[in-house]
Amino acid sequence: MGKLMSLFCLVYFTLCSTPLFTSSLTLESDIQVLRVVKRSIDPNAIPPNSYLSSWDFKLDPCETTGGQFLGILCSFPLDKSPSRITAIDLDGAGYQGFLTSAVGNLTELTFINLRKNNFRGPIPRSISNLKKLTRLSLSNNFFTGTIPLGLNTLKKLESLDISFNELSGTIHPSIGGLRGLTFLSLSNNGFTGRVPDLSGLWQLKTLDLSRNQLHGNLPNFPVSLRTLILSQNLFLGHLTPLNKLSNLRVLDVSGNRLSGAITREFFTLPKVTQLNLSYNHFTRLEVVRSFGQEELQVLDAKGNQLRGHLPVNLVTLQNLTTINLSYNQFFGKIPDAYASRVGDWSELYLDHNFLLGKLPAQFAQAAQRIRGSLSFNCLRCPDNVPLCEGGQRKVEECIGRPTTSG
């Protein structure tokens, strides 16, 4: 009897001294959504040691430790309410399947990252239910269809990346209502039509619309932009809407149908370091004398219809190291001022123009410090200078060019 009483007391003490579970397990409906997410993926496309392979539903997603439920973050309430799923951050393991509409029931989600996989089908409209979402990254997949309506209701969204998919349709003006965005990339899709006015996205720092089929004149953009990439589209008209983007550091409008002048304002933007204006229809390059305030390092204007003499004022841009003016219609001599800076430049491409005359001696002296090309002009270029490799045009091709100044 004494032993039995001792055993009873031990069990009683153990139960009474063990703290009750106060913060609770994961909300059951959140677990069900995770089950559906995993079932939406081809099991043969879930590699061993991948994040999804660690989702073992014999365990609780928010209460496990170690290597289970990788890619899942949870909230841990101080009261007795259940834990909630707050982030799905999958590895790029090549998962194949669909993004289930059930994901819209994870109403505490702040972050979704599915990039570098093989998801296909539409982006579910139910994502618009995720009012706490701050970051959505679905890039490098095979999503099709349009940008889902209702995305503009995600007022806390700061980063939206749906690049490198097979999305189509127009960019709905409602996207301009995402006032919290600092990063927006819609690149490498099949979007068509005109770009809506995005100037209301006053916190936007990076905008990438490259490699689509967008057309029309350039719209107004947010003055907060630091990086603007519009390359490989069908934009027409002039650069004028961009010359007031005083915070701009990187501009790429290459591979469009823009025309007119590359005006002096772009060379006086105080923070710009890279200008890629190549493969358009620009006819004039206006470079004003610099007084040392500009930060421009890279100028790429190849493949245009730029005419006149090479702009002498390029040498006054003290931070400029890379110049590409090839495949244009420049004529006349290489300015003597270029010879004084050629040792400071790391790349100089002036090939496929109509330049004449003797190559300044400094170009030969700097041959080991500079990359580039002066071929397919009408220059008297020594064969032992690497910049001259490729041959020259016949002199008569470069004589009598139009004398309109650039």
Side-chain angles (χ1 to χ4, degrees):
M1 182 68 178
K3 291 183 178 179
L4 185 60
M5 181 60 71
S6 298
L7 180 61
F8 173 81
C9 291
L10 178 61
V11 172
Y12 180 82
F13 176 79
T14 302
L15 290 172
C16 292
S17 61
T18 302
L20 292 175
F21 191 77
T22 56
S23 81
S24 64
L25 304 170
T26 310
L27 187 71
E28 181 59 30
S29 61
D30 280 12
I31 297 175
Q32 292 306 316
V33 172
L34 293 185
R35 289 180 186 274
V36 176
V37 167
K38 187 171 182 179
R39 283 201 300 266
S40 301
I41 306 299
D42 180 352
N44 297 316
I46 300 178
N49 304 317
S50 65
Y51 283 12
L52 272 181
S53 69
S54 74
W55 291 16
D56 181 358
F57 290 98
K58 295 176 183 176
L59 306 170
D60 184 272
C62 294
E63 298 300 318
T64 57
T65 57
Q68 288 82 35
F69 282 96
L70 297 177
I72 295 297
L73 294 177
C74 300
S75 65
F76 296 97
L78 296 176
D79 58 16
K80 295 182 180 180
S81 60
S83 296
R84 300 292 308 275
I85 307 298
T86 59
I88 298 177
D89 185 7
L90 293 186
D91 51 339
Y95 304 122
Q96 297 183 31
F98 301 90
L99 178 57
T100 172
S101 61
V103 75
N105 295 324
L106 297 175
T107 52
E108 291 295 311
L109 276 182
T110 62
F111 179 76
I112 299 176
N113 174 30
L114 306 179
R115 63 192 298 266
K116 292 187 177 179
N117 282 291
N118 297 309
F119 284 93
R120 59 190 186 277
I123 299 172
R125 293 182 64 176
S126 62
I127 281 182
S128 62
N129 298 334
L130 307 178
K131 304 304 182 187
K132 296 186 178 181
L133 206 61
T134 62
R135 182 174 176 185
L136 178 60
S137 180
L138 305 178
S139 64
N140 295 86
N141 281 283
F142 295 95
F143 286 109
T144 53
T146 60
I147 299 174
L149 292 174
L151 210 61
N152 61 302
T153 64
L154 304 180
K155 300 302 183 183
K156 294 187 177 181
L157 200 61
E158 297 173 4
S159 176
L160 175 58
D161 187 354
I162 52 176
S163 60
F164 290 91
N165 279 287
E166 297 179 356
L167 298 165
S168 57
T170 58
I171 301 172
H172 197 272
S174 63
I175 204 168
L178 294 171
R179 297 294 181 90
L181 280 182
T182 60
F183 180 95
L184 175 59
S185 180
L186 309 180
S187 71
N188 290 269
N189 280 287
F191 292 118
T192 57
R194 295 176 180 270
V195 177
D197 187 345
L198 301 177
S199 58
L201 302 178
W202 60 276
Q203 298 188 78
L204 196 63
K205 302 294 188 296
T206 299
L207 175 61
D208 188 350
L209 302 178
S210 61
R211 295 183 181 274
N212 282 287
Q213 299 174 42
L214 301 167
H215 62 79
N217 294 327
L218 297 177
N220 293 319
F221 290 106
V223 295
S224 55
L225 279 176
R226 296 178 183 174
T227 300
L228 177 58
I229 305 176
L230 304 174
S231 56
Q232 303 297 317
N233 278 286
L234 304 170
F235 291 116
L236 298 166
H238 299 268
L239 283 174
T240 309
L242 309 183
N243 62 20
K244 293 181 179 150
L245 300 179
S246 57
N247 293 295
L248 204 59
R249 296 178 181 176
V250 176
L251 174 64
D252 186 349
V253 295
S254 61
N256 282 284
R257 300 174 182 179
L258 297 166
S259 58
I262 301 169
T263 59
R264 61 191 66 193
E265 288 84 0
F266 289 94
F267 297 95
T268 56
L269 289 172
K271 298 179 181 179
V272 71
T273 60
Q274 298 179 43
L275 288 175
N276 190 344
L277 312 165
S278 61
Y279 297 111
N280 279 283
H281 302 309
F282 295 118
T283 55
R284 295 199 316 280
L285 181 61
E286 302 174 357
V287 186
V288 295
R289 183 177 180 80
S290 167
F291 294 97
Q293 304 297 318
E294 294 76 23
E295 297 185 13
L296 185 65
Q297 299 171 15
V298 177
L299 171 63
D300 188 347
K302 66 177 174 287
N304 280 284
Q305 299 167 22
L306 299 172
R307 306 185 184 99
H309 296 283
L310 291 172
V312 177
N313 286 328
L314 281 180
V315 302
T316 67
L317 296 166
Q318 294 301 310
N319 292 303
L320 191 62
T321 60
T322 300
I323 301 168
N324 194 332
L325 301 177
S326 61
Y327 289 90
N328 279 289
Q329 299 176 32
F330 289 110
F331 61 88
K333 295 183 178 180
I334 296 177
D336 291 339
Y338 280 33
S340 65
R341 284 297 309 279
V342 70
D344 301 324
W345 292 336
S346 58
E347 294 186 33
L348 178 64
Y349 291 89
L350 301 176
D351 54 286
H352 292 84
N353 280 285
F354 298 91
L355 303 173
L356 276 164
K358 183 179 179 182
L359 185 70
Q362 290 90 332
F363 280 80
Q365 296 165 6
Q368 302 306 315
R369 301 196 302 272
I370 187 170
R371 296 191 303 272
S373 178
L374 300 173
S375 63
F376 290 93
N377 284 285
C378 298
L379 295 164
R380 297 199 298 279
C381 242
D383 294 336
N384 61 345
V385 177
L387 289 174
C388 297
E389 290 178 359
Q392 298 289 317
R393 301 177 189 270
K394 295 179 179 178
V395 174
E396 20 320 349
E397 293 183 49
C398 301
I399 295 174
R401 302 297 300 174
T403 58
T404 304
S405 173

